Amino acid sequence: MAVHSLAYLVVGARDLDAWTRYAESVVGMMRTESNEKDVLLYRLDHRTFRFRIEAHDADKLLASGLECATRANWEKALANLEKAGVAVEKASAAEAKARGFHDMFRCVDPAGNPLEIGWGHIVAGTPFVSPEAVDGFVTMDGDLDMGFGHAVLPAPNIDETRAFYVDHLGFANSDEMRVYLQGGPEDPGIGMHFLHAGGPRHHVIGLAQFPNPSGMVHTMVEVATLDEVGIALDRALAAGTHISSTLGKHTNDKMVGFYMRTPAGFDIEYGYGGIRPDWNNFTPTFTIKEDLWGHKWDFGQ
Ligand SMILES: [Fe+2]
């Protein structure tokens, strides 16, 4: 696999204070010092940051940071994209360092989702301490890096976009989903494709066959116990955060969690207990009922 995990997100914010309250008091992320003006950096684990919030004229995802395990894999991803005629922009050493990478380049997928792809991550060197006493976010499987979670990105041109991740970046299918909102035999359904990167996560990238003005449908952070999910739900309710979905369990990755709205307009899935497939003994699934139970949606505004 060229890419192996979701390293971080870069998010634009009109109101940094709203993100400060949300990230710290609701999600339980750890703020870490930034030497850049109007930039908030939030940790979820041993890394220097997992969420980078920048002052911006719009509330939206600015980039998904994908990680390659080795320099060789990163060079392969870069070569694959260049060979396919995809425009790539190499980051300077300073830009890569600011993203916690040794090397990094930028590109855009066929649906217009901005990506930053790097290798050689920097660790913080100090313990992760959550301001809300979250025991820790699940980002490692033993010594194996799982990335901080997954990102579900808008892709109205879903087939072309899936091919980009599979053909150039080494992703593979774990589940195709078709959601039938209209009902009836003529309903073509809406596609969602879930792609793994060979690591422990059932999916690192999800693609949804509809647009989203925030640039992302949702991102997932994982905690170690069901109690941590429930306690986070209590914090979200106390803070007046919009709960986009009640507690539920997904059919495909078996993750138990709820969804809540971020100040950027996309959701965070706060989950626990997702499966870690053995890809040598796994048959990709086709799902038409997305939940085993729960997940009553309130899309709000
Ligand atoms: Fe998810």
Side-chain angles (χ1 to χ4, degrees), residues 150 203 218 259 269:
H150 62 237
H203 52 278
H218 76 260
Y259 290 69
E269 175 186 8

Side-chain angles (χ1 to χ4, degrees), residues 101-168:
F101 278 143
H102 191 288
D103 289 300
M104 189 262 279
F105 66 83
R106 297 183 172 88
C107 64
V108 177
D109 78 14
N113 298 301
L115 304 176
E116 297 181 350
I117 301 177
W119 81 279
H121 66 265
I122 301 169
V123 297
T126 56
F128 170 77
V129 181
S130 164
E132 290 295 330
V134 176
D135 228 8
F137 292 87
V138 177
T139 64
M140 300 290 289
D141 183 357
D143 291 326
L144 188 60
D145 196 308
M146 297 168 65
F148 82 82
H150 62 237
V152 176
L153 301 171
N157 53 343
I158 194 164
D159 292 332
E160 183 189 358
T161 307
R162 180 187 57 186
F164 170 90
Y165 287 95
V166 171
D167 295 348
H168 308 323

